[in-house]
Amino acid sequence: MFRKMRRVKQLLSKEETIAVLNRGTSGVLALCGENQYPYAVPLSYVYSDCKIYFHCATTGYKLDSIKQNNKVSFCVIDKDTVMQEEYTTYFRSAIVFGKAYILSNEQEKRQALEKLAEKYSPHNEQGRLAEIEKFFQQVCMVKIDIEHMTGKEAIELVKQKNCFCKKE
């Protein structure tokens, strides 16, 4: 159903791909928008148990697009170092494909919102719980059930890892 990566030497393991998703603080959600134009939007998110969660307003283009077609992709860039003298970029990224669902169950919505808040404010539980209470009815939570994920890094980073491993 999903294509295999062409440059398999640059493929990250599942564990490395998950690490990219966990380290990231923002990603780009790609949807099928109006008139079948792609719509990509940056957002904050949290990865948990093979799912991506994000929040948004209770109405808007994102939600309209998800209701029309819930198949999405989501991309996170972990590293992007321009190497001018080499005419290349040392990059590392992850892409997930899945289906997006608007959370209607209040318990599931609250749990997802707490995971998201904990990622961005891990040391202030009282503050984040108060913020969740204050805005709970005004926020929408969306879950992406991941069906496929890949991670990729620049061949130069692969070579660096292999060189480092051989020295040990």
Side-chain angles (χ1 to χ4, degrees):
M1 174 151 69
F2 295 97
R3 287 184 178 204
K4 289 187 176 187
M5 187 179 298
R6 189 171 55 87
R7 297 193 171 177
V8 294
K9 289 181 181 177
Q10 294 175 250
L11 182 67
L12 296 177
S13 69
K14 181 178 179 181
E15 293 75 22
E16 290 170 312
T17 302
I18 290 170
V20 168
L21 295 172
N22 282 325
R23 278 192 301 267
T25 57
S26 64
V28 178
L29 176 70
L31 307 147
C32 184
E34 290 178 2
N35 300 314
Q36 296 186 323
Y37 278 99
Y39 175 60
V41 60
L43 48 84
S44 301
Y45 73 96
V46 65
Y47 171 85
S48 178
D49 299 321
C50 208
K51 293 169 182 36
I52 299 283
Y53 296 96
F54 64 90
H55 74 296
C56 59
T58 56
T59 61
Y61 193 40
K62 257 192 307 277
L63 294 181
D64 292 344
S65 297
I66 289 169
K67 290 172 187 173
Q68 288 292 319
N69 182 350
N70 72 335
K71 290 181 180 179
V72 302
S73 69
F74 185 73
C75 175
V76 174
I77 297 171
D78 184 48
K79 181 177 182 66
D80 182 29
T81 305
V82 175
M83 305 302 289
Q84 292 180 15
E85 57 284 343
E86 296 177 43
Y87 302 98
T88 192
T89 303
Y90 288 13
F91 67 89
R92 186 178 306 109
S93 61
I95 299 176
V96 303
F97 299 87
K99 292 183 180 155
Y101 299 95
I102 300 162
L103 298 182
S104 56
N105 177 289
E106 287 208 359
Q107 182 178 356
E108 188 178 15
K109 175 183 169 181
R110 184 174 300 279
Q111 288 172 344
L113 197 51
E114 286 175 5
K115 287 176 187 181
L116 183 69
E118 183 178 11
K119 177 178 181 173
Y120 293 93
S121 185
H123 306 295
N124 187 2
E125 184 177 11
Q126 283 185 326
R128 67 178 187 257
L129 293 176
E131 192 77 1
I132 289 170
E133 276 309 310
K134 183 177 175 183
F135 293 106
F136 188 75
Q137 296 304 321
Q138 299 164 318
V139 71
C140 178
M141 286 300 294
V142 177
K143 167 181 72 173
I144 300 172
D145 282 335
I146 297 174
E147 297 176 353
H148 181 71
M149 75 169 91
T150 60
K152 184 178 177 182
E153 66 184 352
I155 193 69
E156 294 83 1
L157 296 176
V158 173
K159 289 175 183 175
Q160 284 177 3
K161 273 197 293 193
N162 289 340
C163 183
F164 180 72
C165 290
K166 289 177 185 175
K167 289 179 183 178
E168 290 187 319

